[in-house]
């Protein structure tokens, strides 16, 4: 593989299956799974691994089996053991690739993941539900990348698996046993849903805005401002969607269900969205936009909303019920989705050689709508994953250069390698 920045050579490919025979399961998609489009999601973690003698000789078999090879064996063993419990990711096995890249960790341009991550350090899934690529870098650093079908798992579920995989790689007991019973999300008989769900939209309310609401409001205003080149731009609309996790909402008031929903594997998401005239978003103050975000979001953070959403999907079978926002973003005006990555467990994905220096989701996004995911970095900072048009990103950076800065190896301290191993 060659993305133009550096070469990646796939050294081995194999299929990893569950360590124990797994009873054949028929796991249907729940009604909330059906809200997601057929899109693959990637996630990657970068590890600083010190080597005593300079850069890695990728053709040295002895060095390979002593260092990187031993890591790969731990990853494969951990994967095989984790798939026993996470059989939904196992399917007919997981495509597992070992690769080498002629680039150092501090030479990766995280600011442009489409160039340095996609197709290079995260695999393109060709078979099954999950695929994995482990890449050794020239400096001895390692990138663990994986790609999975979003219809099978949301980020919360994928996070559970990643932590369990790391625990198995270190021969630790699983801290969480996933729960797959789709009966938790069964529709009511007879079903009932509020007519507002036909638009998956919202209502009105009071003031005190969260950091995520404030960020979303700023992005909504900036994306609206980016459409100056469109004819009659101020009369067109701009859509904003926010991904809401329903686990806590659906289990509200039920102690037994709280424990089950905390380990539920699958999609438990709603994507309420707002649509406003671009002229309003451009000229109204940011506080007004933040109020609008809050109102759209408020209607989707209740137990009743998620129960109604399950019934809404049931009532529309067999029609496609993919959330409208995913099909937005056209000549009528731009659209984007914000998904909070605040629960992203970077520090817990330790396979036995330390915590990742950096980790992030990466979306192989083919739709017209943009995608934004903020996740925790350090000292209260957020690592912002922005998949938007170049003009939109430039406007955001120009308008808030004191807040948004390109992600660099200097910020991540990737050149500060640990003491030599002797």
């Amino acid at each position: 593989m060659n993305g133009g920045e550096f070469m990646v050579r796939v050294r081995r490919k194999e299929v990893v299956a569950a360590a124990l025979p797994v009873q054949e399961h028929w796991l249907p998609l729940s009604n909330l799974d059906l809200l997601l489009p057929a899109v693959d999601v990637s996630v990657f973690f970068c590890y600083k691994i010190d080597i005593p003698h300079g850069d890695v000789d990728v053709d040295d078999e002895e060095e390979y089996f002593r260092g990187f090879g031993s890591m790969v064996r731990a990853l494969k063993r951990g994967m095989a053991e984790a798939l026993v419990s996470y059989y939904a990711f196992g399917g007919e096995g997981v495509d597992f690739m070992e690769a080498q890249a002629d680039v150092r960790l501090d030479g990766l341009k995280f600011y442009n993941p489409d160039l340095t991550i996609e197709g290079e350090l995260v695999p393109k899934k060709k078979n099954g539900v999950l695929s994995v690529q482990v890449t050794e870098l020239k400096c001895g650093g390692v990138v663990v990348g994986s790609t999975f079908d979003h219809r099978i798992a949301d980020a919360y579920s994928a996070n559970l698996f990643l932590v369990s995989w790391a625990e198995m790689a270190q021969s630790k007991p699983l801290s969480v046993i996933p729960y797959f019973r789709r009966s938790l999300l069964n529709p009511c008989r007879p079903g009932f849903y509020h007519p507002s769900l036909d638009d998956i939209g919202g209502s009105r309310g009071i003031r005190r805005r969260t950091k995520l609401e404030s960020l979303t409001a700023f992005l909504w205003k900036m994306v609206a401002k980016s459409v100056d080149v469109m004819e009659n731009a101020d009369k067109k609309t701009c859509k904003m969607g926010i991904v809401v996790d329903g686990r806590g909402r659906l289990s509200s008031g039920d102690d037994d269900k709280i424990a089950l929903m905390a380990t539920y594997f699958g999609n438990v998401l709603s994507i309420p969205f707002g649509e406003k005239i671009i002229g309003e978003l451009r000229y109204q103050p940011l506080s007004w936009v933040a109020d609008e975000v809050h109102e759209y979001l408020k209607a989707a953070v209740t137990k009743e909303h998620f129960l109604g959403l399950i019934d809404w999907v049931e009532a529309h079978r067999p029609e496609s019920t993919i959330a409208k926002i995913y099909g937005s973003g056209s000549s009528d005006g731009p659209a984007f989705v914000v998904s909070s990555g605040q629960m992203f467990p970077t520090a817990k994905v330790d396979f036995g050689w330390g915590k990742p220096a950096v980790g992030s989701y990466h979306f192989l996004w083919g739709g017209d709508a943009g995608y934004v995911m903020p996740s925790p970095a350090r000292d209260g900072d957020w690592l912002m994953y922005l998949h938007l048009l170049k003009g939109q990103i430039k406007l955001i950076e120009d308008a808030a250069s004191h807040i948004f800065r390109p992600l660099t190896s200097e910020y991540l301290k990737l050149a500060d390698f640990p003491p030599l191993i002797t």
Side-chain angles (χ1 to χ4, degrees), residues 4-43:
E5 293 286 313
F6 54 87
M7 287 288 297
V8 177
R9 176 165 65 104
V10 175
R11 189 161 188 159
R12 289 180 177 83
K13 294 181 181 179
E14 66 178 89
V15 176
V16 175
L20 298 174
V22 178
Q23 180 182 352
E24 187 169 323
H25 294 272
W26 181 73
L27 187 65
L29 294 178
S30 76
N31 281 3
L32 296 185
D33 291 325
L34 296 175
L35 288 170
L36 279 298
V39 62
D40 290 336
V41 177
S42 293
V43 60

Tab-separated table of all heavy atoms in Angstrom, residues 4-43:
chain	number	residue	atom	x	y	z
A	4	GLY	N	1.240	7.720	-0.725
A	4	GLY	CA	1.974	8.879	-1.166
A	4	GLY	C	2.883	9.442	-0.086
A	4	GLY	O	3.931	9.995	-0.368
A	5	GLU	N	2.513	9.293	1.187
A	5	GLU	CA	3.311	9.802	2.299
A	5	GLU	C	4.355	8.781	2.736
A	5	GLU	O	5.469	9.140	3.087
A	5	GLU	CB	2.396	10.138	3.479
A	5	GLU	CG	1.461	11.308	3.229
A	5	GLU	CD	2.186	12.639	3.267
A	5	GLU	OE1	2.968	12.856	4.204
A	5	GLU	OE2	1.967	13.456	2.356
A	6	PHE	N	3.990	7.513	2.742
A	6	PHE	CA	4.897	6.450	3.175
A	6	PHE	C	4.374	5.125	2.635
A	6	PHE	O	3.235	5.012	2.208
A	6	PHE	CB	5.010	6.411	4.704
A	6	PHE	CG	3.686	6.314	5.418
A	6	PHE	CD1	3.091	5.091	5.680
A	6	PHE	CD2	3.028	7.468	5.820
A	6	PHE	CE1	1.874	5.000	6.338
A	6	PHE	CE2	1.800	7.393	6.482
A	6	PHE	CZ	1.229	6.160	6.731
A	7	MET	N	5.242	4.121	2.676
A	7	MET	CA	4.875	2.792	2.191
A	7	MET	C	4.446	1.904	3.354
A	7	MET	O	5.053	1.934	4.417
A	7	MET	CB	6.063	2.142	1.476
A	7	MET	CG	6.373	2.741	0.123
A	7	MET	SD	5.131	2.302	-1.113
A	7	MET	CE	5.338	0.515	-1.178
A	8	VAL	N	3.410	1.113	3.120
A	8	VAL	CA	2.973	0.115	4.089
A	8	VAL	C	3.022	-1.241	3.398
A	8	VAL	O	2.454	-1.420	2.322
A	8	VAL	CB	1.542	0.394	4.591
A	8	VAL	CG1	1.099	-0.708	5.555
A	8	VAL	CG2	1.464	1.758	5.274
A	9	ARG	N	3.748	-2.175	4.017
A	9	ARG	CA	3.879	-3.513	3.440
A	9	ARG	C	3.175	-4.513	4.354
A	9	ARG	O	3.525	-4.651	5.521
A	9	ARG	CB	5.346	-3.888	3.286
A	9	ARG	CG	5.574	-5.312	2.769
A	9	ARG	CD	6.996	-5.478	2.294
A	9	ARG	NE	7.958	-5.360	3.372
A	9	ARG	CZ	8.582	-6.407	3.932
A	9	ARG	NH1	8.312	-7.640	3.528
A	9	ARG	NH2	9.463	-6.226	4.890
A	10	VAL	N	2.162	-5.179	3.805
A	10	VAL	CA	1.475	-6.219	4.563
A	10	VAL	C	2.340	-7.466	4.545
A	10	VAL	O	2.680	-7.988	3.482
A	10	VAL	CB	0.088	-6.515	3.978
A	10	VAL	CG1	-0.565	-7.689	4.719
A	10	VAL	CG2	-0.798	-5.274	4.069
A	11	ARG	N	2.701	-7.926	5.720
A	11	ARG	CA	3.637	-9.032	5.828
A	11	ARG	C	2.928	-10.381	5.947
A	11	ARG	O	3.385	-11.382	5.409
A	11	ARG	CB	4.523	-8.806	7.057
A	11	ARG	CG	5.682	-9.753	7.176
A	11	ARG	CD	6.723	-9.182	8.111
A	11	ARG	NE	7.924	-9.976	8.116
A	11	ARG	CZ	9.117	-9.542	8.507
A	11	ARG	NH1	9.243	-8.295	8.900
A	11	ARG	NH2	10.159	-10.334	8.504
A	12	ARG	N	1.844	-10.425	6.663
A	12	ARG	CA	1.098	-11.667	6.842
A	12	ARG	C	-0.385	-11.364	6.932
A	12	ARG	O	-0.782	-10.317	7.431
A	12	ARG	CB	1.530	-12.405	8.127
A	12	ARG	CG	2.906	-13.022	8.095
A	12	ARG	CD	3.207	-13.728	9.420
A	12	ARG	NE	4.506	-14.396	9.404
A	12	ARG	CZ	5.651	-13.798	9.651
A	12	ARG	NH1	5.673	-12.509	9.944
A	12	ARG	NH2	6.790	-14.473	9.606
A	13	LYS	N	-1.185	-12.319	6.463
A	13	LYS	CA	-2.634	-12.251	6.612
A	13	LYS	C	-3.124	-13.599	7.101
A	13	LYS	O	-2.653	-14.639	6.653
A	13	LYS	CB	-3.321	-11.946	5.269
A	13	LYS	CG	-3.041	-10.583	4.672
A	13	LYS	CD	-3.815	-10.420	3.366
A	13	LYS	CE	-3.537	-9.078	2.714
A	13	LYS	NZ	-4.279	-8.934	1.416
A	14	GLU	N	-4.046	-13.571	8.022
A	14	GLU	CA	-4.679	-14.812	8.445
A	14	GLU	C	-6.047	-14.480	9.035
A	14	GLU	O	-6.411	-13.310	9.207
A	14	GLU	CB	-3.826	-15.571	9.436
A	14	GLU	CG	-3.614	-14.898	10.779
A	14	GLU	CD	-2.776	-15.761	11.715
A	14	GLU	OE1	-1.534	-15.640	11.688
A	14	GLU	OE2	-3.379	-16.561	12.453
A	15	VAL	N	-6.792	-15.502	9.345
A	15	VAL	CA	-8.109	-15.335	9.949
A	15	VAL	C	-8.043	-15.843	11.382
A	15	VAL	O	-7.606	-16.969	11.626
A	15	VAL	CB	-9.197	-16.097	9.166
A	15	VAL	CG1	-10.553	-15.987	9.880
A	15	VAL	CG2	-9.301	-15.550	7.743
A	16	VAL	N	-8.434	-15.008	12.328
A	16	VAL	CA	-8.443	-15.391	13.738
A	16	VAL	C	-9.869	-15.766	14.126
A	16	VAL	O	-10.806	-14.993	13.923
A	16	VAL	CB	-7.942	-14.238	14.635
A	16	VAL	CG1	-8.072	-14.610	16.117
A	16	VAL	CG2	-6.501	-13.896	14.293
A	17	ALA	N	-10.018	-16.948	14.684
A	17	ALA	CA	-11.325	-17.432	15.134
A	17	ALA	C	-11.347	-17.499	16.652
A	17	ALA	O	-10.304	-17.394	17.320
A	17	ALA	CB	-11.607	-18.812	14.537
A	18	ALA	N	-12.534	-17.674	17.205
A	18	ALA	CA	-12.675	-17.789	18.652
A	18	ALA	C	-11.848	-18.953	19.179
A	18	ALA	O	-11.727	-20.001	18.526
A	18	ALA	CB	-14.141	-17.974	19.020
A	19	ALA	N	-11.269	-18.776	20.372
A	19	ALA	CA	-10.377	-19.785	20.942
A	19	ALA	C	-11.104	-21.077	21.279
A	19	ALA	O	-10.509	-22.155	21.258
A	19	ALA	CB	-9.705	-19.223	22.190
A	20	LEU	N	-12.388	-20.988	21.595
A	20	LEU	CA	-13.194	-22.165	21.923
A	20	LEU	C	-14.328	-22.293	20.918
A	20	LEU	O	-14.784	-21.292	20.356
A	20	LEU	CB	-13.783	-22.033	23.338
A	20	LEU	CG	-12.772	-21.938	24.490
A	20	LEU	CD1	-13.520	-21.654	25.787
A	20	LEU	CD2	-11.956	-23.216	24.590
A	21	PRO	N	-14.782	-23.518	20.684
A	21	PRO	CA	-15.951	-23.675	19.800
A	21	PRO	C	-17.123	-22.867	20.348
A	21	PRO	O	-17.453	-22.947	21.531
A	21	PRO	CB	-16.239	-25.180	19.862
A	21	PRO	CG	-14.950	-25.797	20.292
A	21	PRO	CD	-14.289	-24.806	21.198
A	22	VAL	N	-17.705	-22.045	19.503
A	22	VAL	CA	-18.811	-21.189	19.918
A	22	VAL	C	-20.095	-21.732	19.312
A	22	VAL	O	-20.160	-21.997	18.109
A	22	VAL	CB	-18.584	-19.726	19.458
A	22	VAL	CG1	-19.772	-18.852	19.844
A	22	VAL	CG2	-17.303	-19.172	20.072
A	23	GLN	N	-21.087	-21.884	20.148
A	23	GLN	CA	-22.383	-22.354	19.653
A	23	GLN	C	-22.893	-21.397	18.588
A	23	GLN	O	-22.781	-20.177	18.722
A	23	GLN	CB	-23.389	-22.432	20.802
A	23	GLN	CG	-24.768	-22.911	20.382
A	23	GLN	CD	-25.737	-22.922	21.558
A	23	GLN	OE1	-25.338	-22.720	22.698
A	23	GLN	NE2	-26.998	-23.150	21.279
A	24	GLU	N	-23.424	-21.931	17.521
A	24	GLU	CA	-23.917	-21.087	16.447
A	24	GLU	C	-25.089	-20.253	16.951
A	24	GLU	O	-26.032	-20.757	17.551
A	24	GLU	CB	-24.355	-21.942	15.254
A	24	GLU	CG	-24.709	-21.108	14.036
A	24	GLU	CD	-24.894	-21.959	12.791
A	24	GLU	OE1	-24.153	-22.947	12.637
A	24	GLU	OE2	-25.793	-21.636	11.997
A	25	HIS	N	-24.983	-18.940	16.729
A	25	HIS	CA	-26.018	-18.012	17.193
A	25	HIS	C	-26.654	-17.310	15.998
A	25	HIS	O	-25.984	-16.973	15.022
A	25	HIS	CB	-25.424	-16.949	18.124
A	25	HIS	CG	-24.912	-17.486	19.416
A	25	HIS	ND1	-25.707	-17.623	20.537
A	25	HIS	CD2	-23.675	-17.913	19.781
A	25	HIS	CE1	-24.993	-18.102	21.534
A	25	HIS	NE2	-23.742	-18.286	21.098
A	26	TRP	N	-27.948	-17.099	16.109
A	26	TRP	CA	-28.637	-16.237	15.159
A	26	TRP	C	-28.974	-14.960	15.909
A	26	TRP	O	-29.819	-14.948	16.808
A	26	TRP	CB	-29.914	-16.907	14.637
A	26	TRP	CG	-30.644	-16.048	13.639
A	26	TRP	CD1	-30.289	-15.794	12.358
A	26	TRP	CD2	-31.869	-15.338	13.857
A	26	TRP	NE1	-31.199	-14.971	11.741
A	26	TRP	CE2	-32.188	-14.671	12.643
A	26	TRP	CE3	-32.728	-15.190	14.952
A	26	TRP	CZ2	-33.321	-13.873	12.505
A	26	TRP	CZ3	-33.858	-14.383	14.809
A	26	TRP	CH2	-34.147	-13.740	13.592
A	27	LEU	N	-28.254	-13.875	15.590
A	27	LEU	CA	-28.423	-12.621	16.317
A	27	LEU	C	-29.072	-11.604	15.386
A	27	LEU	O	-28.408	-11.027	14.527
A	27	LEU	CB	-27.066	-12.115	16.799
A	27	LEU	CG	-27.081	-10.899	17.721
A	27	LEU	CD1	-27.755	-11.232	19.047
A	27	LEU	CD2	-25.665	-10.388	17.965
A	28	PRO	N	-30.367	-11.374	15.542
A	28	PRO	CA	-31.040	-10.429	14.652
A	28	PRO	C	-30.637	-8.991	14.945
A	28	PRO	O	-30.198	-8.671	16.065
A	28	PRO	CB	-32.525	-10.645	14.981
A	28	PRO	CG	-32.522	-11.091	16.407
A	28	PRO	CD	-31.276	-11.920	16.575
A	29	LEU	N	-30.746	-8.130	13.953
A	29	LEU	CA	-30.553	-6.702	14.179
A	29	LEU	C	-31.765	-6.173	14.939
A	29	LEU	O	-32.905	-6.507	14.619
A	29	LEU	CB	-30.406	-5.956	12.853
A	29	LEU	CG	-29.160	-6.286	12.016
A	29	LEU	CD1	-29.192	-5.494	10.713
A	29	LEU	CD2	-27.885	-5.991	12.772
A	30	SER	N	-31.525	-5.371	15.940
A	30	SER	CA	-32.636	-4.757	16.670
A	30	SER	C	-33.197	-3.598	15.848
A	30	SER	O	-32.598	-3.164	14.856
A	30	SER	CB	-32.158	-4.241	18.025
A	30	SER	OG	-31.423	-3.038	17.862
A	31	ASN	N	-34.329	-3.061	16.282
A	31	ASN	CA	-34.905	-1.918	15.580
A	31	ASN	C	-33.978	-0.711	15.610
A	31	ASN	O	-33.955	0.091	14.668
A	31	ASN	CB	-36.259	-1.557	16.205
A	31	ASN	CG	-37.365	-2.489	15.740
A	31	ASN	OD1	-37.116	-3.438	14.995
A	31	ASN	ND2	-38.585	-2.234	16.169
A	32	LEU	N	-33.185	-0.575	16.678
A	32	LEU	CA	-32.256	0.555	16.737
A	32	LEU	C	-31.029	0.324	15.859
A	32	LEU	O	-30.441	1.285	15.360
A	32	LEU	CB	-31.845	0.817	18.193
A	32	LEU	CG	-32.985	1.246	19.130
A	32	LEU	CD1	-32.439	1.595	20.511
A	32	LEU	CD2	-33.761	2.436	18.559
A	33	ASP	N	-30.651	-0.932	15.640
A	33	ASP	CA	-29.577	-1.224	14.675
A	33	ASP	C	-29.982	-0.759	13.274
A	33	ASP	O	-29.135	-0.329	12.483
A	33	ASP	CB	-29.280	-2.726	14.623
A	33	ASP	CG	-28.633	-3.255	15.893
A	33	ASP	OD1	-27.841	-2.523	16.505
A	33	ASP	OD2	-28.929	-4.406	16.267
A	34	LEU	N	-31.271	-0.868	12.976
A	34	LEU	CA	-31.764	-0.555	11.633
A	34	LEU	C	-31.736	0.933	11.317
A	34	LEU	O	-31.945	1.331	10.166
A	34	LEU	CB	-33.185	-1.096	11.464
A	34	LEU	CG	-33.326	-2.627	11.549
A	34	LEU	CD1	-34.790	-3.029	11.500
A	34	LEU	CD2	-32.546	-3.299	10.430
A	35	LEU	N	-31.481	1.773	12.326
A	35	LEU	CA	-31.379	3.210	12.091
A	35	LEU	C	-30.033	3.598	11.488
A	35	LEU	O	-29.862	4.707	11.002
A	35	LEU	CB	-31.565	3.982	13.405
A	35	LEU	CG	-32.977	4.013	13.977
A	35	LEU	CD1	-32.958	4.584	15.385
A	35	LEU	CD2	-33.904	4.823	13.086
A	36	LEU	N	-29.061	2.677	11.542
A	36	LEU	CA	-27.707	2.977	11.060
A	36	LEU	C	-27.527	2.565	9.601
A	36	LEU	O	-28.022	1.513	9.194
A	36	LEU	CB	-26.666	2.268	11.916
A	36	LEU	CG	-26.268	2.894	13.247
A	36	LEU	CD1	-25.642	4.263	13.017
A	36	LEU	CD2	-27.434	3.011	14.197
A	37	PRO	N	-26.814	3.368	8.821
A	37	PRO	CA	-26.548	2.981	7.426
A	37	PRO	C	-25.483	1.890	7.357
A	37	PRO	O	-24.814	1.595	8.351
A	37	PRO	CB	-26.031	4.281	6.799
A	37	PRO	CG	-25.391	5.000	7.943
A	37	PRO	CD	-26.231	4.672	9.157
A	38	ALA	N	-25.333	1.290	6.186
A	38	ALA	CA	-24.313	0.251	5.988
A	38	ALA	C	-22.958	0.925	5.836
A	38	ALA	O	-22.424	1.077	4.737
A	38	ALA	CB	-24.648	-0.578	4.753
A	39	VAL	N	-22.405	1.338	6.975
A	39	VAL	CA	-21.130	2.057	6.966
A	39	VAL	C	-20.159	1.366	7.918
A	39	VAL	O	-20.558	0.854	8.964
A	39	VAL	CB	-21.330	3.540	7.376
A	39	VAL	CG1	-21.870	3.656	8.791
A	39	VAL	CG2	-20.041	4.335	7.235
A	40	ASP	N	-18.903	1.321	7.523
A	40	ASP	CA	-17.857	0.759	8.378
A	40	ASP	C	-17.197	1.882	9.175
A	40	ASP	O	-17.033	3.004	8.684
A	40	ASP	CB	-16.799	0.039	7.550
A	40	ASP	CG	-17.327	-1.256	6.940
A	40	ASP	OD1	-18.291	-1.809	7.489
A	40	ASP	OD2	-16.776	-1.697	5.915
A	41	VAL	N	-16.823	1.568	10.401
A	41	VAL	CA	-16.168	2.522	11.293
A	41	VAL	C	-14.814	1.947	11.689
A	41	VAL	O	-14.705	0.758	11.976
A	41	VAL	CB	-17.020	2.776	12.554
A	41	VAL	CG1	-16.300	3.719	13.507
A	41	VAL	CG2	-18.380	3.343	12.170
A	42	SER	N	-13.806	2.787	11.694
A	42	SER	CA	-12.468	2.348	12.092
A	42	SER	C	-12.054	3.013	13.402
A	42	SER	O	-12.565	4.074	13.770
A	42	SER	CB	-11.438	2.689	11.009
A	42	SER	OG	-11.669	1.939	9.842
A	43	VAL	N	-11.125	2.371	14.080
A	43	VAL	CA	-10.556	2.921	15.302
A	43	VAL	C	-9.084	2.531	15.328
A	43	VAL	O	-8.712	1.451	14.864
A	43	VAL	CB	-11.316	2.393	16.549
A	43	VAL	CG1	-11.251	0.887	16.645
A	43	VAL	CG2	-10.790	3.022	17.823
